[in-house]
Amino acid sequence: MNSTDPALLLVAHGTRNPRGVEMIAQLAGEVSQTAGPTRVAFVDVLGPSPAEVLRDSDRPTVLVPAFLASGYHVHTDVPREVAESGHRDVVVTDALGPDPVLARVLVTRLHDAGWRPGDAVVLAAAGSSDLRALCDVRSAARMLAALTRTTVRIGYVATGSPRVADVVNDLRVQGDRRVFIASYLLAEGLFHGRLFECGADGVAAPLGVTDSIVELVARRYRAAITPALRPNTASVYTT
């Protein structure tokens, strides 16, 4: 990328877990190697906020939401932050998920946790009151089911039902001897920690930083700065 290309702003939820913060910083650092300097902002828990980062620059900016489903934070928080910043030229891309790239990483994480074909799988998501986000989670579950060739049940760890622990228990009752949780979370934090209390035989690590996820972020950025590749769902804010 050259100096005339738009800046890249990676926006995540935010966590008080230092390892979660470090993971987002690592992701941004690796994206910088392929897509140019990448700044980070958070919509909750800690700062800087997207509005604060955007106010610090008048350079055209591509904002990539580092979310696995498009719910309240993507549809409400991000547009509000852009508006409050007063920035004159911001393109907001699609969120990271759902995406086949993430489904493949989920399979790798499950194998690393000890999952074997035939074991039951629960996709654990944070949850949302936004029906669009729940639809995205169902799409992610279908992608994972296609790769694992098994039925993937969905459980929520923060908002919504059924809860992860209830799904694990239901699978035990119906006769599944080994149950594994696929963590549909980007980084370690409070939500991922709760999964170890749900009674599964194994809990896969969060998605974290992989070459394929770094490339996914870069792909969202490149699509936004190349009109021929720009998806119809991208949001452009100009004043």
Side-chain angles (χ1 to χ4, degrees), residues 49 52 77 99 110 139 170 195 206 215:
S49 69
E52 289 170 334
D77 283 340
D99 194 279
L110 278 169
S139 293
D170 288 346
L195 299 181
E215 175 55 28

Side-chain angles (χ1 to χ4, degrees), residues 4 12 42 74 80 92 98 107 115 126 137-138 147 178 187 201 213 215 234-235:
T4 62
F42 302 96
V74 173
R80 186 191 68 246
V92 179
V107 173
W115 176 86
V137 174
R138 289 194 292 271
L147 294 177
R178 284 167 48 92
D201 294 281
I213 292 177
E215 175 55 28
S235 301

Side-chain angles (χ1 to χ4, degrees), residues 3-196:
S3 59
T4 62
D5 287 326
L8 197 165
L9 176 59
L10 187 69
V11 174
H13 181 274
T15 176
R16 293 183 178 85
N17 186 302
R19 295 183 66 179
V21 176
E22 290 169 5
M23 177 265 155
I24 296 298
Q26 180 188 353
L27 177 60
E30 296 196 18
V31 170
S32 295
Q33 301 302 311
T34 59
T38 302
R39 300 187 68 179
V40 172
F42 302 96
V43 297
D44 201 1
V45 182
L46 70 164
S49 69
E52 289 170 334
V53 174
L54 289 170
R55 288 191 200 106
D56 194 39
S57 172
D58 58 3
R59 184 178 174 186
T61 299
V62 173
L63 187 159
V64 180
F67 291 89
L68 306 180
S70 295
Y72 182 86
H73 293 307
V74 173
H75 292 295
T76 301
D77 283 340
V78 167
R80 186 191 68 246
E81 291 281 342
V82 173
E84 290 179 355
S85 74
H87 197 289
R88 299 180 61 187
D89 190 355
V90 180
V91 173
V92 179
T93 75
D94 288 341
L96 294 187
D99 194 279
V101 166
L102 303 180
R104 290 191 288 271
V105 175
L106 286 171
V107 173
T108 298
R109 297 288 185 249
L110 278 169
H111 280 294
D112 291 343
W115 176 86
R116 300 191 300 266
D119 295 338
V121 176
V122 180
L123 182 69
S128 175
S129 58
D130 191 310
L131 295 179
R132 292 166 293 189
L134 300 182
C135 182
D136 283 349
V137 174
R138 289 194 292 271
S139 293
R142 287 193 295 270
M143 292 177 190
L144 181 58
L147 294 177
T148 58
R149 299 183 180 180
T150 189
T151 300
V152 173
R153 297 278 300 275
I154 297 171
Y156 298 103
V157 66
T159 303
S161 61
R163 310 297 279 186
V164 176
D166 292 335
V167 177
V168 172
N169 184 64
D170 288 346
L171 289 168
R172 300 284 193 207
V173 170
Q174 73 179 32
D176 287 283
R177 296 184 60 186
R178 284 167 48 92
V179 180
F180 283 76
I181 295 174
S183 181
Y184 196 53
L185 302 168
L186 195 59
E188 291 187 18
L190 177 64
F191 293 164
H192 182 71
R194 290 177 179 172
L195 299 181
F196 293 93

Side-chain angles (χ1 to χ4, degrees), residues 198-224:
C198 294
D201 294 281
V203 176
L207 289 161
V209 179
T210 69
D211 290 345
S212 59
I213 292 177
V214 170
E215 175 55 28
L216 177 60
V217 176
R219 176 154 49 90
R220 293 282 190 268
Y221 172 78
R222 287 194 294 266

